[in-house]
Amino acid sequence: MSLGKIFLGILLFLPASWTRVSRMNAAIDLAAESYAKTEYEQSITDHLALMEGFGYVGTELDFDLGLSHQYAEKPDEALGFYDKASISKDKILASFAFNQSGVIQGSKEEYEVALSKFKSALIQDPLNEVARHNYELLARWMQRDKERKEQDQNKPEPSDFAKRKKAEADRLVEQFRFKDALTVMQEALAQDETVAAYQEFIKSLEEITEIDEK
């Protein structure tokens, strides 16, 4: 028997699992390549092919699918995959999955949910500085927003007198007579407490006047 026939026989008897692993590795490389090229729709297709064609499962794959869907502007689908990735035994991976979920929830104005996600990210990995930054930034914004809303609720309803004085001050501002406008508002406030509804306007006039006098 010739050497060529022997070699051909070896090829014919290669285990099917070997070729399957080879094809799966090629599919993994393809999915990684499409993501690296920021071809996110294709990345989704390639990653799903790993699941459907090879039964490939894992929280790493879930996280990659979450990222691909997020950047393909499919946030709801991304959240589903991040939820799966967040139960990973790999604490760092779970932490980043929670963080990305928080980013999406924040963009949907679900601020309480987003804050909870960032907190969960820090519980999984206290060294996740991205999640820490997001948590602190959102927490501060929510506190200030709460304070602003409380201030708005406590503002008195301006009387007709207060509205006339505000209109008078506006005309002075149009003439760049900021100090005179401030005087009008301060004197009006001394006469009518509902002028306090324009406190932000008065504060702005005070700041501008201080700058002019320097």
Side-chain angles (χ1 to χ4, degrees), residues 3 23 53 61 86 95 102 128 132 138 153 155 169:
L3 183 61
R23 287 187 291 110
L61 179 60
S86 66
S95 178
N128 188 338
R132 184 175 302 281
L138 181 58
Q153 290 175 352
K155 282 183 180 178

Side-chain angles (χ1 to χ4, degrees), residues 180-197:
D180 290 339
L182 176 60
T183 300
V184 167
M185 295 303 292
Q186 288 175 333
E187 290 178 351
L189 181 60
Q191 300 175 57
D192 184 349
E193 63 181 13
T194 69
V195 176

Side-chain angles (χ1 to χ4, degrees), residues 10-20:
I10 293 173
L11 288 178
L12 289 174
F13 287 102
L14 280 175
S17 59
W18 290 15
T19 58
R20 183 180 184 281

